[in-house]
Amino acid sequence: MEYNAEKREILTDKELSNLDNLVLNFVKILEKYADYVIISGYVSILLGRTRITEDVDLFIKKISFNEFSKLYGELKNGGFWCINADKVKEVFSFLEDGLAVRFARIGESVPNFEIKFPKRDVDKETFNDFVIVKLGEEKLKISSLERQIAFKRYFLGSYKDEEDALHIEKTFKDKIDYNEIERLKKIIKNNKKNEKYQN
Amino acid sequence: MKNIKTEKRIFLKPGRNNKEERLNFVKFWAEYVRTHSDKEWSRQQNVIINSQINKSILQK
């Protein structure tokens, strides 16, 4: 894999897995209606981590109900169903309430695609510094490597997340911006503290 | 017989407990990914992923 940090681009000629192909199928429909960035575990898997996942998490930029209805219709026609609700209004209301909704292949529940609107400012920033992974003719937008490491390590924090962060850190070790990780770490810790007081 | 291309021999440091063993493996594998062709590491990775996610899911 070649990572060009300036161009924010990763080039790879890896063999695509069945999961990669499923993600590409989903994203081809999604990106017609909404700007997206893939976050969390699948990013580590795409970049070589040897594990599987039950879900692929994505942020999508806020879209209108009208646009979402079109997306929902095309996902249904494309062989996906929403595992949270059937009525499009209800599905959209979950998103508007800051909740995530999940789509899977019809007749299946996993793997599924968990989509949500970013809520916090730090989440909205994901759209400013994403990285494009070029897989031959295909491409996927993932959150920055620094964001992956910081969120896995300082926000999520399970063993699995620590291992995901370590994989990215070691795989791209000469090209990681540690100042950016520190900046994100401070924001994440502050947000955690504030959210704890609010709850 | 498969022609397995190995660009660089690397070794896994055994861990003293389960956590250390797992973290050492992650470091070992990241080094493998760095030093081997994408085709080589992804071929091995896909044995795990494709055993869990069947190709038929793409045709639904």
Side-chain angles (χ1 to χ4, degrees), chain A:
Chain A
M1 275 182 292
E2 284 175 42
Y3 174 38
N4 184 328
E6 256 176 49
K7 283 171 87 176
R8 312 204 65 72
E9 211 173 75
I10 294 173
L11 300 180
T12 173
D13 62 350
K14 65 173 270 190
E15 259 180 30
L16 298 184
S17 68
N18 293 339
L19 180 61
D20 295 327
N21 281 314
L22 185 64
V23 173
L24 286 165
N25 286 356
F26 184 81
V27 159
K28 261 184 201 143
I29 298 173
L30 177 67
E31 67 188 355
K32 288 186 198 172
Y33 303 96
D35 200 359
Y36 79 92
V37 177
I38 301 171
I39 54 171
S40 205
Y42 172 69
V43 172
S44 309
I45 297 168
L46 179 66
L47 302 177
R49 179 106 145 85
T50 51
R51 72 169 179 90
I52 56 151
T53 185
E54 67 193 21
D55 57 10
V56 175
D57 302 279
L58 306 102
F59 278 141
I60 62 166
K61 267 193 188 170
K62 205 162 182 184
I63 51 173
S64 66
F65 174 68
N66 191 32
E67 277 303 287
F68 184 75
S69 298
K70 290 181 200 164
L71 168 62
Y72 186 77
E74 192 164 338
L75 284 172
K76 272 186 133 176
N77 290 337
F80 293 94
W81 71 293
C82 177
I83 67 178
N84 302 99
D86 191 35
K87 291 201 167 71
V88 62
K89 261 192 177 173
E90 196 178 355
V91 178
F92 189 70
S93 74
F94 290 143
L95 285 172
E96 287 217 300
D97 286 345
L99 303 172
V101 296
R102 292 174 188 246
F103 290 86
R105 274 295 192 198
I106 290 169
E108 312 284 340
S109 298
V110 288
N112 59 59
F113 296 87
E114 184 184 324
I115 63 173
K116 58 193 159 196
F117 295 146
K119 270 191 296 189
R120 304 176 194 91
D121 287 342
V122 70
D123 296 335
K124 290 175 187 163
E125 280 180 15
T126 307
F127 287 92
N128 301 338
D129 58 6
F130 61 84
V131 171
I132 292 181
V133 180
K134 290 190 170 171
L135 305 139
E137 298 292 301
E138 310 281 0
K139 57 186 175 185
L140 291 171
K141 285 161 74 175
I142 60 167
S143 71
S144 76
L145 303 185
E146 290 78 11
R147 215 167 270 280
Q148 281 296 315
I149 294 168
F151 273 83
K152 288 264 166 194
R153 197 164 276 164
Y154 307 114
F155 183 73
L156 297 168
S158 72
Y159 284 159
K160 180 188 73 183
D161 297 311
E162 173 53 37
E163 289 170 12
D164 285 351
L166 185 65
H167 172 80
I168 291 174
E169 189 177 25
K170 294 292 178 191
T171 302
F172 299 96
K173 59 183 175 187
D174 308 323
K175 295 187 175 171
I176 300 292
D177 178 351
Y178 284 93
N179 291 331
E180 174 66 359
I181 294 179
E182 269 307 301
R183 183 187 77 85
L184 290 165
K185 179 183 171 182
K186 280 180 196 153
I187 295 171
I188 291 164
K189 292 211 161 176
N190 260 336
N191 282 350
K192 266 186 149 178
K193 205 162 77 182
N194 293 339
E195 282 164 22
K196 197 175 162 188
Y197 285 128
Q198 281 168 13
N199 290 333

Side-chain angles (χ1 to χ4, degrees), chain A residues 1 12 18 45 48 108 163, chain B residues 22 29 38 42 45 53 60:
Chain A
M1 275 182 292
T12 173
N18 293 339
I45 297 168
E108 312 284 340
E163 289 170 12
Chain B
R22 288 188 61 86
W29 180 252
D38 292 356
S42 61
Q45 184 200 36
I53 300 170
K60 293 205 174 208

Side-chain angles (χ1 to χ4, degrees), chain B residues 12-23:
Chain B
L12 169 65
K13 185 180 169 192
R16 298 199 178 277
N17 53 50
N18 186 47
K19 189 182 175 190
E20 194 178 284
E21 178 70 22
R22 288 188 61 86
L23 291 176

